[in-house]
Amino acid sequence: MEKFEVDDDLAALVERLAKPRPFENLSFNAALRRVLSDFGALARKAEEPDEIDRLLGDATRVATREPKKAPSPSAAEWVATVPELKGRRGIGTWKAICDLLKIDTAGDSARRKLKNWVKLHRPTWPPVPDID
């Protein structure tokens, strides 16, 4: 069998990677064998999908099939219940209603802003519906 010369720093690295147990004396060959077998086990694990990857894959497939958020209630149906807004055209969205009433949404949900505005300024109006 051919003999190989190994530098001290490489031998120390192999010994550290072998993770010897306390008071365990490993020869260089045994330490290198342990490191290479651990590396082989890691390589085999990388080739086989493990349980976590499978579960994550299932979860992402389920998430892509279902909508991310609940659909908003119909703004047009709510407008039809408010006598002051019933005859107006072009207010089929919550944002359009807020624009008509000069409610600054400031990037927030127009439906939520309108809901709070109605509670304060028009308590006699029907309440703005919540998302189910």
Side-chain angles (χ1 to χ4, degrees):
M1 166 95 6
E2 190 174 346
K3 301 274 183 184
F4 296 96
E5 289 207 24
V6 178
D7 293 334
D8 290 339
D9 60 334
L10 181 59
L13 176 64
V14 168
E15 183 181 19
R16 193 173 69 238
L17 291 174
K19 299 176 185 167
R21 292 179 209 92
F23 307 109
E24 180 182 25
N25 289 324
L26 290 175
S27 67
F28 178 77
N29 285 344
L32 184 58
R33 190 169 279 119
R34 184 180 290 180
V35 169
L36 292 176
S37 67
D38 288 348
F39 176 75
L42 288 175
R44 281 191 301 276
K45 267 190 176 178
E47 292 171 1
E48 303 168 4
D50 63 348
E51 186 69 14
I52 294 174
D53 289 340
R54 187 185 62 75
L55 290 173
L56 286 174
D58 292 346
T60 55
R61 280 192 295 279
V62 168
T64 56
R65 280 186 255 140
E66 297 176 8
K68 289 186 177 182
K69 59 182 184 178
S72 180
S74 172
E77 288 177 13
W78 181 79
V79 167
T81 63
V82 180
E84 290 91 339
L85 301 176
K86 194 183 289 189
R88 302 281 180 127
R89 296 226 180 250
I91 52 172
T93 65
W94 298 112
K95 178 71 173 138
I97 298 167
C98 287
D99 290 344
L100 175 73
L101 298 172
K102 296 180 178 44
I103 301 170
D104 182 28
T105 58
D108 196 4
S109 164
R111 186 192 54 76
R112 278 195 303 266
K113 288 285 188 172
L114 178 63
K115 181 178 180 174
N116 293 333
W117 185 88
V118 167
K119 282 181 186 176
L120 286 175
H121 301 296
R122 301 289 192 277
T124 59
W125 284 9
V128 176
D130 283 326
I131 294 176
D132 295 332

